[in-house]
């Protein structure tokens, strides 16, 4: 018998709960539905998002993921959209989740026009190298509540450590260790 665990899902779920407590999850737009993005979408729906819109450079992948998630969460609306729909979707959204490689050290840049963000939005980025991505800086500058990708990475580490050892480590101590490692360039 095989048992599998997904710490992308649980890591994002715990990061969302700890890093954006009380965030309104009614209408969320997510960019990127690859491996981590699919797990993040599942975590958002599990956390209570009632309307989740998925966008990916490959529309068919976003549409397939939306169909699969709709079957798992029949009482919640999950839809796919094209990249060009992002401005209109964000105008009515509570939050935005970024789950693409854009913003990583090797893929610098912004995944969207930062002028689409306003203080009523919360923004979550799964990229953690660098910890302060251009998206995180732009969202903070616009007054958005922000969840950096390091929160998810720490959540994944906490869960993986517990799965492997049976011991639940202190997430706050792990976050501090993570920040220290980042500061030292490791």
């Amino acid at each position: 018998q095989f048992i599998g665990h997904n710490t992308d899902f649980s890591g994002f779920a715990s990061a969302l709960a700890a890093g954006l407590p009380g965030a309104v999850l009614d209408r969320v737009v997510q960019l990127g539905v690859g491996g981590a993005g699919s797990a993040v979408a599942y975590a958002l729906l599990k956390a209570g998002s009632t309307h989740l819109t998925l966008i990916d450079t490959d529309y068919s992948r976003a549409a397939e993921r939306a169909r699969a998630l709709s079957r798992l969460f029949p009482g919640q609306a999950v839809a796919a959209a094209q990249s060009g729909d992002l401005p209109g979707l964000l105008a009515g959204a509570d939050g935005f989740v970024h789950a693409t490689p854009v913003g990583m050290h090797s893929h610098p840049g912004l995944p969207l026009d930062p002028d689409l963000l306003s203080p009523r939005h919360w923004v979550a980025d799964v990229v953690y190298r660098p910890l302060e991505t251009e998206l995180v800086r732009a969202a903070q500058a616009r007054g958005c509540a922000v969840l950096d990708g390091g929160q998810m990475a720490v959540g994944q580490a906490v869960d993986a450590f517990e799965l492997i050892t049976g011991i639940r480590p202190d997430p706050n101590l792990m976050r501090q260790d993570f920040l220290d490692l980042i500061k030292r360039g490791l």
Side-chain angles (χ1 to χ4, degrees):
Q1 175 179 343
F2 294 102
I3 297 174
H5 298 276
N6 185 318
T7 60
D8 285 347
F9 152 68
S10 61
F12 185 81
S14 63
L16 182 65
L20 290 173
V24 177
L25 300 174
D26 292 341
R27 295 193 172 275
V28 180
V29 176
Q30 179 178 313
L31 184 60
V33 294
S38 293
V40 166
Y42 182 88
L44 287 164
L45 292 163
K46 196 89 165 145
S49 181
T50 55
H51 294 85
L52 177 62
T53 304
L54 305 173
I55 299 173
D56 196 87
T57 54
D58 179 351
Y59 176 79
S60 63
R61 180 165 61 172
E64 183 281 322
R65 182 62 40 223
R67 281 190 300 275
L69 289 168
S70 291
R71 287 190 296 273
L72 293 172
F73 297 91
Q76 293 153 276
V78 186
Q82 302 282 351
S83 298
D85 297 330
L86 189 57
L89 291 167
L90 279 176
D94 301 304
F96 173 71
V97 179
H98 172 242
T100 81
V102 175
M104 290 180 175
H105 283 297
S106 56
H107 296 54
L110 281 162
L112 79 164
D113 178 350
D115 289 335
L116 297 175
L117 301 173
S118 68
R120 66 182 179 75
H121 292 118
W122 56 263
V123 174
D125 198 345
V126 302
V127 173
Y128 62 90
R129 297 267 312 166
L131 188 59
E132 189 176 275
T133 62
E134 290 180 54
L135 174 61
V136 165
R137 283 195 305 276
Q140 288 172 329
R142 282 156 181 78
C144 301
V146 173
L147 180 68
D148 66 63
Q151 299 264 15
M152 178 176 164
V154 169
Q156 290 172 284
V158 166
D159 293 345
F161 189 89
E162 184 176 18
L163 286 167
I164 294 165
T165 67
I167 300 167
R168 180 116 184 125
D170 182 326
N172 295 320
L173 291 175
M174 287 191 86
R175 172 78 174 169
Q176 191 54 55
D177 285 343
F178 175 81
L179 294 174
D180 290 344
L181 290 169
I182 293 286
K183 211 180 278 183
R184 293 188 313 191
L186 301 175

